[in-house]
Amino acid sequence: MIGRLNHVAIAVPDLAAAADQYRNTLGAVVRDPQDEPDHGVTVVFIELPNTKIELLYPLGDNSPIAGFLEKNPSGGIHHICYEVDDILAARDRLKAAGARVLGNGEPKIGAHGKPVLFLHPKDFNGCLVELEQV
């Protein structure tokens, strides 16, 4: 059901410093910051040959990333994202298997302009999982 790894998301306390580190220290292609108000984050994508890194920074007072950074002030891996061909079919299959879909269970449009869903980390070995329809 799942396809390739789309990205690994890392919450960061300083978005500009993290982007500079990937650009200048690691020599990666770093995209411009992008506000995602529906998700409460500002994102920066780092392009790698085989996947992407998504840097996450809080946007707004109700950002889920703010709470993550309170618990992890230095930042850290927030979630992993897998691609799926049909997000509604994937959701239905996962729910039938007992997995919990976060939010209201309906896809939102993600940073790539495609439908996304998040799965409860307690159902996936402590890892928050994002599914993105390709």
Side-chain angles (χ1 to χ4, degrees):
M1 177 178 60
I2 63 172
R4 70 181 202 99
L5 176 67
N6 183 279
H7 65 268
V8 175
I10 303 172
V12 298
D14 184 331
L15 190 59
D20 284 345
Q21 182 179 47
Y22 275 89
R23 181 184 300 108
N24 300 326
T25 305
L26 295 173
V29 175
V30 177
R31 301 292 175 207
D32 291 331
Q34 178 180 325
D35 289 344
E36 295 295 330
D38 287 347
H39 296 277
V41 296
T42 299
V43 301
V44 168
F45 281 100
I46 288 103
E47 303 288 332
L48 303 176
N50 59 341
T51 193
K52 294 179 282 296
I53 301 293
E54 179 185 41
L55 302 178
L56 301 172
Y57 184 78
L59 176 66
D61 295 334
N62 296 322
S63 173
I65 300 306
F68 182 91
L69 288 171
E70 282 177 21
K71 295 176 193 164
N72 306 280
S74 297
I77 293 176
H78 183 263
H79 69 267
I80 57 174
C81 178
Y82 298 112
E83 296 178 352
V84 295
D85 290 328
D86 183 333
I87 199 158
L88 296 177
R91 175 201 62 195
D92 294 346
R93 179 176 171 184
L94 286 158
K95 285 176 75 174
R100 290 171 281 180
V101 177
L102 298 179
N104 66 6
E106 293 301 316
K108 288 185 177 183
I109 299 302
H112 296 116
K114 298 176 181 175
V116 299
L117 287 171
F118 286 87
L119 307 174
H120 200 292
K122 289 185 179 176
D123 298 334
F124 293 92
N125 305 295
C127 184
L128 179 62
V129 173
E130 179 182 16
L131 299 179
E132 178 177 290
Q133 183 170 290
V134 291

